[in-house]
Amino acid sequence: MMKLKNQFNSLVAFLFGLLVFLAASFRLQNGNWKAINAIASRKENKGECDFFSGRWVYDDMEYPLYNERQCRFMSDQSACMKFGRSDLVYQKWRWQPDGCNIPRFNGEKLLEKLRGKRMVFVGDSLNRNQWVSMVCLLDTSTHGSNNTMETHKNLMSFKIKDYNASVDFYWSPLLVESNSDHPVLHRVPDRIVRAHSIEKHAKHWTDADILVFNTYLWWRRKNMKILWGSFEEDGGVYKEIESLRGYELAIKAWSDWLEFHINRTRTELFFMSMSPTHSSGDEWGTDSGHNCYNETLPILRDGYWGEGSDPRYMHVVETTIQELKQKGVNVKFLNITQLSEYRKDAHPSVYRKQWDPLTEEQLKNPSSYADCIHWCLPGVPDIWNQILYAHIFP
Ligand SMILES: *[C@@H]1O[C@H](CO)[C@@H](O)[C@H](O)[C@H]1NC(C)=O
Ligand SMILES: *[C@@H]1O[C@H](CO)[C@@H](O)[C@H](O)[C@H]1NC(C)=O
Ligand SMILES: *[C@@H]1O[C@H](CO)[C@@H](O)[C@H](O)[C@H]1NC(C)=O
Ligand SMILES: *[C@@H]1O[C@H](CO)[C@@H](O)[C@H](O)[C@H]1NC(C)=O
Ligand SMILES: *[C@@H]1O[C@H](CO)[C@@H](O)[C@H](O)[C@H]1NC(C)=O
């Protein structure tokens, strides 16, 4: 029965794909074609809204929210078009919640709120992906030639001079201290975490007005080495423990820091749920040798959830946030996992800057070096920021 249903879904997905493809081809010949938007009818907003359940709807009227080339601070990790991606349908999907709409992103309104203030994204490369999206959204909506980018160690600072505002990214992929904290040279085979220590990082962001955290991907391995003591001195005590347990310790250290150091009237707090990966096609009904490479359409099977997204980690954060709330610290958990799960088509795949030159063997088998973790921009992280925006202006 389940199998039949999956096959049916695949068929529907295929037919829909064909439709989009035909539509896109037809559109090339006829600039006014827009019938596919008929299925994109918008909903009325009625009060409280669950942004996190819904579906993707093709909408090339409103999306993309900016042009890849227009964003002066685009990252080569996300500039898929620049690195040769030619199917651009991935840029044109709107996330449609079931009972309402996500408000339109208004960069000037957000900048007005950020006047004289500082917003910081803290976490790993997926959070940096979201930060680059925010930078592009703001830069393209101000057209401000005065905007600048400054990098100082783990901190990258986008400054919007005309508003005296700063939108920053702080690299700390495990939130707490670890041997992966170097902003560039962080690819280390053996991961060591000081799971109780966050102050070295936190002192760079505690004073912010809006904080957006994430951490997940770097914990996704069975075990992790925890260090009691410091990296600089001898005599530290190491213990290998299950990663999930390490994650609990780290999230506890993070939450304790917020409880004692955050100015509750000043700082708004957000935590982004895990970003899914698409590295094994058998999870969505192609072969297991296949990954996000060559994928051009979202998964249409309702409730699709990949094996890479471990709900136990999500649960740790959720429980901790509930406890913080009882202590008067309000962190909003933005549950973007499900909506991103559907987007097997939206990763850079082979269309991004490669850190190391590709070998002959890799070139023969492109899926072997496809990036199925990060996201192309414009793309999925723009939607995360629209949802973030909706929570900043409830
Ligand atoms: C700019 O913002 C900072 C806080 O980020 C504040 O300390 C400073 O006084 C502001 N400067 C002006 C000229 O408004
Ligand atoms: C850049 O800043 C200067 C002074 O700070 C201002 O006069 C000018 O209008 C700004 N330029 C733009 C394009 O906003
Ligand atoms: C917390 O922030 C508010 C608003 O910015 C400010 O008025 C207050 O003095 C701050 N409290 C502390 C203890 O710094
Ligand atoms: C990728 O797509 C191209 C064009 O549709 C096709 O020729 C190629 O065989 C596909 N490769 C894989 C690994 O699916
Ligand atoms: C996040 O969303 C997923 C699927 O929509 C749900 O299963 C999960 O319980 C949610 N998690 C939290 C913490 O709200």
Side-chain angles (χ1 to χ4, degrees):
M1 189 60 202
M2 196 61 196
K3 186 137 193 259
L4 208 68
K5 191 160 176 253
N6 285 348
Q7 278 175 354
F8 178 71
N9 281 340
S10 310
L11 182 68
V12 171
F14 172 76
L15 288 175
F16 188 72
L18 195 66
L19 181 65
V20 171
F21 175 75
L22 289 175
S25 327
F26 187 63
R27 195 182 149 72
L28 285 179
Q29 300 158 12
N30 176 350
N32 285 329
W33 191 87
K34 54 185 177 185
I36 205 151
N37 290 300
I39 35 171
S41 62
R42 282 179 158 275
K43 298 262 167 62
E44 290 298 313
N45 271 345
K46 340 179 185 56
E48 272 291 286
C49 174
D50 172 14
F51 287 128
F52 305 110
S53 56
R55 72 211 153 93
W56 290 97
V57 167
Y58 185 76
D59 177 359
D60 66 345
M61 303 297 278
E62 209 169 309
Y63 290 85
L65 295 179
Y66 51 89
N67 187 304
E68 183 188 302
R69 281 192 215 93
Q70 240 183 317
C71 175
R72 294 174 297 154
F73 303 100
M74 178 59 75
S75 150
D76 278 350
Q77 270 186 53
S78 300
C80 298
M81 213 163 79
K82 174 175 168 188
F83 287 90
R85 185 159 181 178
S86 56
D87 64 303
L88 299 180
V89 170
Y90 72 89
Q91 299 186 350
K92 297 167 188 169
W93 296 90
R94 183 178 84 234
W95 175 248
Q96 179 63 60
D98 286 331
C100 54
N101 294 317
I102 304 175
R104 210 175 281 268
F105 185 91
N106 182 336
E108 282 171 29
K109 187 170 165 191
L110 182 55
L111 283 168
E112 212 43 73
K113 164 136 185 150
L114 289 175
R115 194 179 280 282
K117 294 197 167 127
R118 182 172 177 231
M119 176 175 189
V120 189
F121 291 79
V122 181
D124 62 22
S125 58
L126 287 149
N127 213 21
R128 184 173 56 209
N129 211 166
Q130 186 179 351
W131 167 75
V132 173
S133 150
M134 182 58 92
V135 167
C136 290
L137 285 165
L138 293 176
D139 191 51
T140 52
S141 59
T142 54
H143 313 289
S145 49
N146 287 337
N147 299 347
T148 60
M149 185 66 78
E150 294 164 19
T151 303
H152 185 67
K153 292 188 180 161
N154 291 33
L155 189 70
M156 297 173 84
S157 217
F158 174 60
K159 298 218 183 291
I160 309 104
K161 294 255 157 61
D162 296 342
Y163 289 83
N164 186 30
S166 180
V167 176
D168 302 350
F169 169 71
Y170 186 88
W171 172 260
S172 54
L174 297 119
L175 289 186
V176 290
E177 257 184 77
S178 79
N179 64 344
S180 304
D181 286 341
H182 192 283
V184 186
L185 309 170
H186 45 243
R187 259 163 275 224
V188 285
D190 238 349
R191 202 147 295 162
I192 307 174
V193 186
R194 284 187 76 199
H196 305 272
S197 307
I198 198 168
E199 62 281 358
K200 194 172 143 191
H201 296 315
K203 63 180 186 218
H204 297 283
W205 46 252
T206 305
D207 69 342
D209 299 277
I210 298 179
L211 281 166
V212 184
F213 298 97
N214 92 325
T215 186
Y216 170 63
L217 208 65
W218 288 66
W219 299 91
R220 230 182 65 181
R221 44 177 62 203
K222 195 167 183 310
N223 291 322
M224 207 95 140
K225 221 180 246 170
I226 306 294
L227 164 64
W228 282 263
S230 82
F231 283 108
E232 289 79 21
E233 293 158 40
D234 295 335
V237 177
Y238 293 87
K239 177 93 184 163
E240 184 148 318
I241 65 172
E242 202 199 337
S243 288
L244 181 62
R245 190 71 190 101
Y247 194 75
E248 284 170 0
L249 296 176
I251 293 296
K252 176 79 167 60
W254 167 80
S255 116
D256 286 348
W257 181 272
L258 297 186
E259 182 188 346
F260 294 113
H261 298 281
I262 287 291
N263 179 338
R264 293 164 199 198
T265 39
R266 174 177 181 182
T267 306
E268 282 186 72
L269 302 162
F270 298 92
F271 195 102
M272 305 304 297
S273 70
M274 55 209 175
S275 171
T277 58
H278 293 92
S279 49
S280 188
D282 53 356
E283 292 180 38
W284 60 83
T286 53
D287 12 312
S288 52
H290 185 93
N291 55 24
C292 72
Y293 173 65
N294 251 9
E295 291 290 355
T296 52
L297 288 168
I299 295 168
L300 297 178
R301 192 200 308 163
D302 197 29
Y304 171 83
W305 191 273
E307 281 159 28
S309 307
D310 188 337
R312 294 176 305 165
Y313 285 79
M314 203 181 231
H315 189 67
V316 170
V317 178
E318 189 195 8
T319 321
T320 307
I321 285 176
Q322 276 165 6
E323 287 164 10
L324 270 174
K325 192 165 192 163
Q326 281 157 18
K327 294 170 183 155
V329 181
N330 193 6
V331 184
K332 295 200 184 88
F333 183 71
L334 303 190
N335 194 353
I336 48 84
T337 308
Q338 178 67 74
L339 68 92
S340 312
E341 287 283 358
Y342 299 119
R343 296 303 307 277
K344 64 175 164 50
D345 60 311
H347 298 286
S349 172
V350 298
Y351 306 110
R352 54 165 279 185
K353 182 175 180 168
Q354 303 297 330
W355 301 117
D356 306 310
L358 298 166
T359 63
E360 195 103 336
E361 205 151 315
Q362 282 176 315
L363 287 168
K364 269 191 234 140
N365 179 16
S367 53
S368 69
Y369 65 93
D371 174 354
C372 300
I373 295 174
H374 302 99
W375 305 94
C376 294
L377 291 178
V380 172
D382 302 330
I383 307 289
W384 302 350
N385 279 325
Q386 267 191 288
I387 292 174
L388 175 64
Y389 175 91
H391 283 83
I392 291 173
F393 297 104

